[in-house]
Amino acid sequence: MPTLHEIARTMVSDRRGILAADESVGTMSKRLEGVGVEPTEENRRRYRELLLTTAGLSDSISGAILSDETFRQELSDGTTFPAALAERGVLAGIKVDTGATPLAGAPDEKITEGLDGLRGRLEEYVDLGASFTKWRAVFSIGDGLPSARAIHANAHALARYAGLCQEAGLVPIVEPEVVMDGDHSLEACRRVTTTVLRAVFTELGLMEVRLDGIVLKPNMVVAGGGCAQQPAASEVAQSTVDTLRETVPPGVPGIAFLSGGQSPEEATANLAAMQEITPLPWELTYSFGRALVGPALETWQGSDDGWAAAQKALSERAVANASVR
Ligand code: 5MM
């Protein structure tokens, strides 16, 4: 049995990244509708089969995060998704949060839920073949936001989640996402990301989470999507690395970035610029969702005719991200 540290190392090493294909039923349905595909359970299954049977996936992808629905589904040949990943040399991960809901007394902010009954659910996911898990907390930048209570509540929940996962032998991906929505500056994103990461590592410490057995999945430090002054990749890279050096203990094996609404090319360029900054105490890699699968989804459009071209589109993005070092 590999240790938590060994699993975490496998997830972030050898130039490979983690595919985030864990959209909830609601999000996946919206994405399918966006490309004119009927949002049925079968079409969600077919789309995930398309992604995960892409030839050579394990050359660039170490693990794939799935949702509860996909974890229990099968490929057309009857193989379960976790078994299909194992056959391909890719670790199976499961998103275990149940989504973000308005925080009490703070309707503009969200708290991620899912701790109730989590210990039992984790046991089941281990039996189904999971090696790691994911929980995402979201923080918006705005007038007085994020509030201290939103930061504290979400950091605390992330730490409780991480502790339960390690108890079950699963590596937790800890994902605090400062979102890109808004017209804030790069500097504002840096300030908020610093505060959030400090709070997360304080709570992880209080909960005695083993830092060598987690993977951190943060946002890159970028300007808001509506900001007139968009920084170059070199600025994003330097600000992000500086922020991480101030906040992330060196014992963490690796950091796998989310893409957060960046275009596939932007996300890849920013990651590449970060790889040029050395030495760093942790591995840096990607755990993109939209920036990895977006082109494949647009190419597929639900038809069998588009299947091969869509797999090629995913493969190209994965190879581009895995080749940046
Ligand atoms: C793939 O999307 C994930 C799940 O989203 P919902 O629970 O909201 O449906 C999401 O957590 C994702 O893993 C991260 O946001 C990273 O994805 P991006 O697209 O930001 O790289």
Side-chain angles (χ1 to χ4, degrees), residues 5-304:
H5 181 60
E6 287 166 347
I7 296 168
R9 290 281 318 165
T10 300
M11 290 164 67
V12 295
S13 302
D14 299 329
R15 306 154 61 99
R16 298 193 300 167
I18 302 162
L19 168 61
D22 59 310
E23 298 89 344
S24 54
V25 169
T27 304
M28 193 64 247
S29 298
K30 274 191 218 130
R31 302 251 161 95
L32 289 176
E33 284 175 315
V35 294
V37 178
E38 201 187 340
T40 61
E41 183 177 340
E42 172 58 9
N43 280 338
R44 290 191 295 273
R45 189 203 66 74
R46 283 175 71 220
Y47 170 64
R48 266 60 178 258
E49 175 163 352
L50 181 157
L51 297 179
L52 300 173
T53 58
T54 295
L57 198 65
S58 67
D59 294 343
S60 318
I61 300 286
S62 59
I65 318 170
L66 306 179
S67 65
D68 181 80
E69 181 184 68
T70 314
F71 222 77
R72 300 168 192 282
Q73 289 176 324
E74 295 171 354
L75 302 189
S76 316
D77 69 5
T79 313
T80 66
F81 274 92
L85 287 173
E87 281 172 6
R88 288 163 175 78
V90 175
L91 296 172
I94 174 80
K95 183 245 299 291
V96 301
D97 68 67
T98 55
T101 58
L103 180 64
D108 294 334
E109 296 191 282
K110 294 194 165 164
I111 175 73
T112 300
E113 304 278 9
L115 290 170
D116 286 352
L118 181 56
R119 183 177 271 129
R121 287 195 289 132
L122 294 176
E123 277 174 26
E124 189 189 3
Y125 290 136
V126 169
D127 289 344
L128 290 170
S131 294
F132 68 93
T133 58
K134 195 202 85 173
W135 178 293
R136 171 171 167 256
V138 287
F139 305 91
S140 297
I141 299 180
D143 197 13
L145 304 184
S147 66
R149 67 179 145 174
I151 294 171
H152 173 71
N154 277 292
H156 179 75
L158 274 168
R160 286 185 59 196
Y161 140 80
L164 282 165
C165 293
Q166 291 191 336
E167 181 188 273
L170 294 161
V171 169
I173 294 182
V174 174
E175 182 179 1
E177 176 176 8
V178 177
V179 298
M180 273 176 70
D181 302 342
D183 58 5
H184 54 267
S185 64
L186 179 85
E187 194 44 46
C189 180
R190 179 172 172 173
R191 274 197 307 275
V192 171
T193 303
T194 301
T195 305
V196 165
L197 289 175
R198 283 207 175 116
V200 168
F201 281 99
T202 298
E203 293 290 334
L204 290 171
L206 285 168
M207 216 55 71
E208 299 190 14
V209 170
R210 286 188 49 179
L211 295 185
D212 71 349
I214 70 165
V215 170
L216 179 69
K217 178 168 172 173
N219 53 285
M220 297 181 195
V221 173
V222 293
C227 178
Q229 287 229 307
Q230 287 296 324
S234 57
E235 287 177 84
V236 169
Q238 196 62 57
S239 290
T240 305
V241 166
D242 289 347
T243 302
L244 296 172
R245 278 183 169 137
E246 282 173 27
T247 54
V248 182
V252 172
I255 295 170
F257 293 100
L258 59 90
S259 59
Q262 299 176 60
S263 72
E265 294 76 17
E266 276 174 323
T268 304
N270 288 336
L271 180 64
M274 275 185 255
Q275 301 293 0
E276 286 173 18
I277 303 172
T278 56
L280 294 173
W282 348 261
E283 300 281 350
L284 290 190
T285 189
Y286 58 97
S287 178
F288 299 156
R290 288 161 288 178
L292 201 49
V293 301
L297 180 59
E298 280 157 30
T299 304
W300 177 48
Q301 301 213 327
S303 89
D304 287 343

